[in-house]
Amino acid sequence: MATENPTDPDERFTPVTEALATRGWGVFPGFVPPHETEALASECRESWQCGCFRHAGVGQGDSLQFRPEVRNDKVLWLDPERVTPAQGRWLAVLEELRRAINHSLYLGLFEFEGHFALYPPGSFYRKHSDQFQAIGLRTVTAILYLNENWQPENGGQLRIYLDGDNTEPYVDVPPEAGTLVCFLSADYLHEVLPATRERMSVTGWFRRRE
C-alpha cells in the first residue's frame, strides 16, 4: 500500500507538476541519466529476445481485443513483486513523482501500473485515449523512452493532440532515451507513429483508487 511523504517533494519534479497544473502535459528530455536508460533498454531487449513479450490489446477485462489494425506493439507488464534492480530504481523514482503530484495537485494518485513497450520496425498505435470509458482510474500517463541515438529519420514520434478530437494542433515527441512524457490521461488523445527501427519505452499510469 502506498504511503505519503509529509516532507516537500524533490525539486527535480517541480517542472513535471507545474506542467501538469498549467497545461496538462509536459516533455522532459534528459530526465533519466544514460546509465539508467541503458540498463532498462538492455532488460527490455533481452526479454524481447527470450519471448517474454505478448501482443498488446485494446480495452480491458472482458472487452479486451487484439486489433492489429489499431495497435501492433508488444508489451511486458512490470510485476512489483519481481522487479530487477534497474526496474526497482525507476519505480522508486515514479513513487517519488506520485507523491510530488499529490502534494501539488491533490489528484489522489494511489499506485502505478506499467509495462515495457516494444514496437518492432513499422509498428504503430492509432489515436486513442489511455483512460477506459467505463473505469476512469488512470489519471496521469508517464512514459520513459529508452532509445539511444534516435534520429529524426527514424520516425516513431508520440503525437499528442492538444485540442480534443481535432487532428490539429498537435505536438510530436521523438522517443529519445531519457525523455519523460507526462500528461493527464483523460484529456489527451495520442498516437504512436511508425518507426524505421525498434522503439522501446517504459509506459504506465498513475491510478486513483477503485
Side-chain angles (χ1 to χ4, degrees):
M1 176 177 174
T3 58
E4 298 305 323
N5 187 343
T7 61
D8 291 336
D10 193 314
E11 290 185 358
R12 63 181 162 159
F13 303 120
T14 299
V16 181
T17 57
E18 288 182 347
L20 291 174
T22 56
R23 62 183 181 182
W25 65 275
V27 179
F28 312 97
F31 188 84
V32 173
H35 68 277
E36 293 290 0
T37 58
E38 288 169 6
L40 289 167
S42 178
E43 290 185 5
C44 182
R45 192 173 292 109
E46 289 175 3
S47 296
W48 166 254
Q49 292 172 348
C50 78
C52 298
F53 278 70
R54 297 292 181 266
H55 292 285
V58 177
Q60 186 183 45
D62 294 339
S63 65
L64 179 66
Q65 298 177 323
F66 296 99
R67 299 182 57 190
E69 77 280 8
V70 175
R71 67 180 300 187
N72 51 11
D73 57 312
K74 310 297 187 295
V75 298
L76 173 62
W77 286 89
L78 302 181
D79 182 351
E81 303 299 324
R82 301 177 62 184
V83 296
T84 66
Q87 293 170 24
R89 291 191 296 271
W90 177 234
L91 290 176
V93 172
L94 289 170
E95 173 60 12
E96 293 184 63
L97 177 56
R98 182 192 69 83
R99 294 176 179 178
I101 295 172
N102 280 346
H103 183 272
S104 299
L105 280 70
Y106 306 103
L107 292 181
L109 305 178
F110 178 64
E111 64 182 358
F112 177 84
E113 64 172 2
H115 55 63
F116 282 120
L118 189 144
Y119 288 75
S123 299
F124 55 84
Y125 193 169
R126 304 300 187 198
K127 186 192 296 186
H128 65 282
S129 171
D130 279 350
Q131 194 174 88
F132 298 117
Q133 292 183 353
I135 306 175
L137 300 180
R138 290 179 175 177
T139 305
V140 176
T141 299
I143 306 167
L144 174 65
Y145 290 114
L146 308 177
N147 310 290
E148 295 291 335
N149 301 315
W150 197 267
Q151 302 300 317
E153 59 268 23
N154 296 141
Q157 298 91 341
L158 172 70
R159 177 165 292 178
I160 305 173
Y161 294 91
L162 305 179
D163 187 17
D165 292 335
N166 294 331
T167 57
E168 294 184 352
Y170 58 79
V171 60
D172 281 349
V173 182
E176 298 171 344
T179 295
L180 173 69
V181 180
C182 287
F183 56 87
L184 299 178
S185 303
D187 293 354
Y188 293 97
L189 296 176
H190 53 286
E191 67 176 308
V192 176
L193 304 182
T196 61
R197 52 174 278 202
E198 182 182 79
R199 178 190 188 278
M200 298 178 293
S201 68
V202 183
T203 295
W205 305 269
F206 293 107
R207 294 162 42 99
R208 293 190 175 99
R209 290 180 184 269
E210 296 188 21

